[in-house]
Amino acid sequence: MRVLVTGATGFVGHRLVPALLDAGHDVVAFVRDASRYTGPGAVEVVEGDLLDAATLAPAMEGVDAAYYLVHSMRSGGDFEERDRLAARNFVDAADAAGVGRVVYLGGLGEERDRLSPHLRSRREVEHLLSSGSFDLTTLRAAIIVGAGSASFDMVRQLAKRLPVMVTPQWVETKCQPIAIDDVVAYLVGVLDHPETAGETYEIGGPDVLTYRDMLQRVGTHLGQAPRIVPVPVLSPRLSSYWIGLVTDVDTGVARPLIEGLKNPVVVTDDRIRDIVSVDLTPFDVAVEQALHEEREEDPIHVEPATETP
């Protein structure tokens, strides 16, 4: 199968590309700057930008399936409009090229909740993609644990740098994190199962934790479990400034991530496990793997299209 990966240099995309090659697919990587692409040599690289509709046609030529793994959160306060335009351009190009399947990695969160702008934009992109004539498979995930994940990096830095942490009430929110290798396994696996076309699935790891649990367990792996004192007065804006002071996570990235922490993100429908077999990685094992990778090499710090919350 000829497969297009948008966001091929991002946190998820740069891991997905070699996995697709290993599965026997021909892969086209859609990137902004082809001269900086360092992926496998067997990949066909096409340069372009989803915000520039004219650059999409060459990437879509002859494609059977495409992965949508881009978003604009790092672009600032207008990320929702940029996400909207990118999704519309993608749908138009995929329909014109006759692409049969699209796979999108979105965010967990109940529609009835007051979703944060970050999660709301994820859901809007999902709705826009569903308007295409192709069959859309959506996988919804919470925090993805891996080296280069902005949300996991925020947790890691907080756990490492603050022995005592005064936090908002979101530390008690429940989350079902998932290891990056398991996410990639699901993304690759759905292509082998035609029955997943047109369906939406929730994916998560084997552990349901609060953010307090995650901070303390990551801290333990780093040699110091922080003492956490929740208070009711820190707004998302103040929390993002606080994170900006004690970590190197950009405030423009931290704020939309933090706004999403008020929403519980736990799998309520695990049908995917009966279709795609994945040996799920326990949270502590995923953390150790991520920390080991960070020690071994400089990870790609590019925000993925699908990282949540």
Side-chain angles (χ1 to χ4, degrees):
M1 191 179 294
R2 182 173 171 84
V3 181
L4 170 68
V5 178
T6 65
T9 59
F11 166 56
V12 177
H14 89 279
R15 290 170 168 85
L16 176 62
V17 166
L20 288 168
L21 288 172
D22 289 343
H25 299 291
D26 296 326
V27 180
V28 180
F30 188 68
V31 300
R32 288 185 179 178
D33 185 352
S35 67
R36 299 179 61 186
Y37 183 68
T38 58
V43 173
E44 178 182 339
V45 181
V46 177
E47 189 173 273
D49 189 332
L50 284 174
L51 298 176
D52 182 357
T55 66
L56 283 164
M60 295 285 184
E61 187 175 347
V63 164
D64 303 298
Y67 287 86
Y68 193 91
L69 300 176
V70 292
H71 75 78
S72 305
M73 192 172 69
R74 288 186 184 272
S75 67
D78 64 343
F79 72 86
E80 290 178 273
E81 178 55 37
R82 292 166 66 89
D83 279 344
R84 193 174 297 124
L85 175 60
R88 287 172 175 158
N89 287 344
F90 178 90
V91 168
D92 290 343
D95 283 351
V99 174
R101 290 196 64 183
V102 170
V103 181
Y104 172 60
L105 182 58
L108 274 174
E110 295 291 336
E111 294 278 7
R112 64 176 179 269
D113 293 334
R114 293 180 59 190
L115 297 179
S116 69
H118 179 56
L119 284 174
R120 188 173 63 237
S121 181
R122 292 289 191 278
R123 200 56 51 83
E124 183 183 11
V125 167
E126 182 181 322
H127 291 319
L128 288 169
L129 294 176
S130 69
S131 69
S133 59
F134 45 78
D135 292 321
L136 176 67
T137 301
T138 298
L139 302 180
R140 295 176 179 172
I143 282 182
I144 301 174
V145 181
S149 160
S151 51
F152 175 70
D153 193 39
M154 183 173 69
V155 171
R156 178 187 61 78
Q157 291 191 44
L158 287 174
K160 181 177 182 179
R161 299 182 183 184
L162 293 181
V164 178
M165 203 179 304
V166 178
T167 63
Q169 291 295 328
W170 52 252
V171 293
E172 307 300 345
T173 302
K174 289 186 176 180
C175 176
Q176 192 165 350
I178 182 170
I180 179 59
D181 288 347
D182 298 349
V183 172
V184 170
Y186 278 125
L187 287 169
V188 174
V190 294
L191 284 191
D192 293 329
H193 293 274
E195 66 271 30
T196 63
E199 296 289 333
T200 297
Y201 301 98
E202 299 176 350
I203 59 173
D207 303 294
V208 176
L209 306 167
T210 65
Y211 289 100
R212 177 202 291 266
D213 294 332
M214 285 191 284
L215 285 163
Q216 291 178 327
R217 288 167 76 161
V218 171
T220 298
H221 282 277
L222 294 169
Q224 58 171 41
R227 179 169 174 246
I228 296 172
V229 182
V231 296
V233 295
L234 285 180
S235 68
R237 180 187 294 272
L238 289 174
S239 296
S240 64
Y241 291 152
W242 165 64
I243 285 175
L245 286 173
V246 298
T247 75
D248 58 18
V249 177
D250 183 83
T251 301
V253 173
R255 185 174 181 187
L257 287 176
I258 290 169
E259 287 174 333
L261 300 184
K262 70 180 188 294
N263 298 111
V265 279
V266 177
V267 171
T268 59
D269 176 4
D270 62 358
R271 291 176 298 130
I272 188 66
R273 297 192 64 185
D274 295 327
I275 303 170
V276 180
S277 179
V278 176
D279 188 10
L280 295 176
T281 307
F283 178 74
D284 288 298
V285 174
V287 170
E288 190 54 45
Q289 290 173 345
L291 295 178
H292 175 75
E293 185 176 342
E294 288 179 343
R295 289 190 294 265
E296 290 297 311
E297 62 182 61
D298 183 24
I300 297 177
H301 289 285
V302 178
E303 182 71 11
T306 54
E307 186 181 354
T308 56

